[in-house]
């Protein structure tokens, strides 16, 4: 595992450092996020055949018509999540490869992540365990409903595009908590939003236009 984690050639630390420079050039400023991404072996979260492309700033297929998000988008969402102080308890909807969950595990105290496709859930869970990330808890379920038993969360991050904002996710936010979510139909303009739950209601900010695989109910 150690050799695998270190990587060689196209998965070496030098190649990873180059990705981090790209992210900086593209406007990512949060050093906590950049440093955590620099250390995280993204090539282990994709198929071996794609490992040499793992440190390009692109989304990559992970099977079952799903993708591991583009590093820039992962960085942007994680930066938005930390923008107002480090949340303790974070819920992720859409575990996929487990990459975003692994990144969060290095930055916050406790991560909960929900995936609806069983093989992806199994694979991600195994990899997260292999990497020794004991502060991540995985669940196989429809994440549209959140994960009630551990609510409220200081932050929720949704890594698939929702046609509209799931109300149950807003309800599972603590006061002052934030939801980072791409909203919009598939093949249409999607916007990455931050919603903050305040005592008075919900505040909404747009981060940027994005393209995500859809959040599927059931
Ligand atoms: N965060 C992932 C990105 C995965 S792509 C990563 O770092 O690799 C989005 C994922 O959301 C897919 O795996 C998809 O199966 C999952 N998904 C879509 N709708 C969902 C739902 N309703 N509940 C849980 N997961 C869902």
């Amino acid at each position: 595992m150690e050799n695998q984690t270190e990587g060689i050639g196209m998965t070496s630390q030098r190649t990873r450092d180059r990705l981090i420079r790209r992210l900086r050039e593209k406007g990512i400023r949060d050093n906590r996020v950049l440093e955590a991404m620099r250390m995280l072996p993204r090539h282990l979260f994709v198929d071996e055949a794609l490992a040499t492309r793992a440190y390009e700033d692109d989304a990559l297929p992970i099977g079952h018509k799903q993708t591991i998000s583009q590093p820039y988008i992962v960085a942007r969402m994680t930066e938005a999540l930390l923008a107002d102080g480090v949340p303790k308890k974070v819920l992720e909807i859409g575990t996929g490869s487990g990459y975003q969950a692994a990144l969060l595990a290095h930055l916050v105290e406790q991560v909960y992540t929900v995936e609806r496709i069983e093989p992806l859930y199994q694979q991600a869970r195994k990899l997260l365990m292999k990497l020794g990330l004991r502060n991540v808890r995985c669940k196989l379920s429809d994440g549209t409903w959140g994960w009630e038993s551990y609510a409220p969360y200081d932050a929720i991050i949704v890594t698939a595009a929702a046609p509209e904002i799931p109300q149950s996710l807003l309800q599972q936010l603590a006061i002052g908590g934030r939801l980072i979510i791409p909203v919009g139909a598939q093949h249409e303009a999607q916007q990455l939003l931050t919603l903050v739950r305040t005592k008075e209601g919900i505040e909404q900010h747009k981060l940027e236009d994005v393209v995500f695989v859809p959040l599927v109910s059931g």
Side-chain angles (χ1 to χ4, degrees), residues 40 45 88-115 121 123-139 147 150 153 157:
L40 193 59
F45 294 83
K88 276 197 177 143
K89 214 160 73 167
V90 177
L91 172 66
E92 178 196 25
I93 309 302
T95 314
S97 67
Y99 179 78
Q100 175 78 69
L103 182 63
L104 290 171
H106 284 102
L107 294 163
V108 311
E109 226 170 86
Q110 187 66 46
V111 181
Y112 299 87
T113 182
V114 182
E115 171 58 53
Y121 154 81
Q123 210 178 329
R125 209 168 61 135
K126 264 192 221 141
L127 180 54
L128 292 166
M129 272 198 291
K130 214 160 127 185
L131 292 171
L133 301 173
R134 301 235 183 91
N135 58 339
V136 185
R137 212 174 271 224
C138 301
K139 183 183 178 181
W147 190 345
Y150 295 102
Y153 301 95
I157 181 169

Side-chain angles (χ1 to χ4, degrees), residues 42 45-46 60 62-70 74 77 92-103 113-118 120-121 124 139-146 157-161 212-218:
R42 188 170 183 260
F45 294 83
V46 298
L60 292 170
I62 54 172
H64 311 274
K65 295 189 192 152
Q66 305 304 324
T67 56
I68 178 172
S69 309
Q70 181 194 357
V74 174
M77 291 178 87
E92 178 196 25
I93 309 302
T95 314
S97 67
Y99 179 78
Q100 175 78 69
L103 182 63
T113 182
V114 182
E115 171 58 53
R116 62 180 285 278
I117 297 178
E118 178 152 24
L120 291 178
Y121 154 81
K139 183 183 178 181
L140 177 66
S141 164
D142 177 359
T144 315
W145 303 103
I157 181 169
V158 181
T159 64
F212 271 86
V213 294
L215 186 74
V216 180
S217 288

Side-chain angles (χ1 to χ4, degrees), residues 20-37:
I20 301 311
R21 282 201 297 278
R22 291 295 313 278
L23 296 178
R24 242 185 239 288
E25 283 162 17
K26 287 184 174 178
I28 304 299
R29 290 280 168 270
D30 192 318
N31 285 321
R32 297 167 295 189
V33 176
L34 289 167
E35 189 51 28
M37 286 183 79

